[in-house]
Amino acid sequence: MGYQEKWNIFPNGRGEWVGYPSAARRADPQATDMEAVTLDMLAFATLLGLIRLPELAREYESLAMDQRTDGSAQAVEKAREWVLPTLQSGPGRLDDRYIQKRDGSVDPYLSDWYDALRDRLGGFASGTSGVTGDK
């Protein structure tokens, strides 16, 4: 895998990450990196704004910025405790949402990205991602 493909990894809509341009399945290269988690939080916040959850979006953005300044193990644990209940399953919850285009139809690309970020943040919140904090 060359440098270009190493950093061009995208969700494929089936819970897998694939390299571009080969489309070969790849492990998530940043799964244990707290900086990557905060970037996921910021991207997720943007998508939450698109599904009309601006308050939750602001909270995710604030949490991400806090984590970027304090990545201690204690701060990471507090972030996990906050994120986990926001991702719980059920009707009307975040797993029951999708991104719409302006015409009201589902945007499959943004919805796949939303699902992938939600899954990655779920892995972080449940402690299965390997992120432990830098201190």
Side-chain angles (χ1 to χ4, degrees), residues 5 8 11 14 24 29 64-65 75 79-80 92 94 96 104 126 128 135:
E5 186 167 309
N8 289 312
R14 294 185 300 271
M65 297 311 290
R80 279 192 177 108
L94 295 181
D96 195 30
S126 67
T128 60
K135 297 179 184 170

Side-chain angles (χ1 to χ4, degrees), residues 59-70:
E59 291 173 2
Y60 263 94
E61 185 176 339
S62 177
L63 178 64
M65 297 311 290
D66 290 347
Q67 289 297 303
R68 291 179 75 76
T69 58
D70 180 8

Side-chain angles (χ1 to χ4, degrees), residues 76-131:
V76 169
E77 189 57 36
K78 287 178 90 172
R80 279 192 177 108
E81 291 172 4
W82 184 86
V83 169
L84 189 58
T86 70
L87 299 175
Q88 290 179 339
S89 298
R93 299 285 188 140
L94 295 181
D95 66 335
D96 195 30
R97 305 220 181 206
Y98 53 89
I99 310 294
Q100 293 178 306
K101 296 179 184 178
R102 290 180 189 228
D103 66 5
S105 64
V106 174
D107 186 319
Y109 303 106
L110 288 180
S111 291
D112 282 352
W113 189 27
Y114 170 82
D115 289 339
L117 288 170
R118 191 188 68 236
D119 291 346
R120 280 175 57 151
L121 290 171
F124 162 72
S126 67
T128 60
S129 69
V131 175

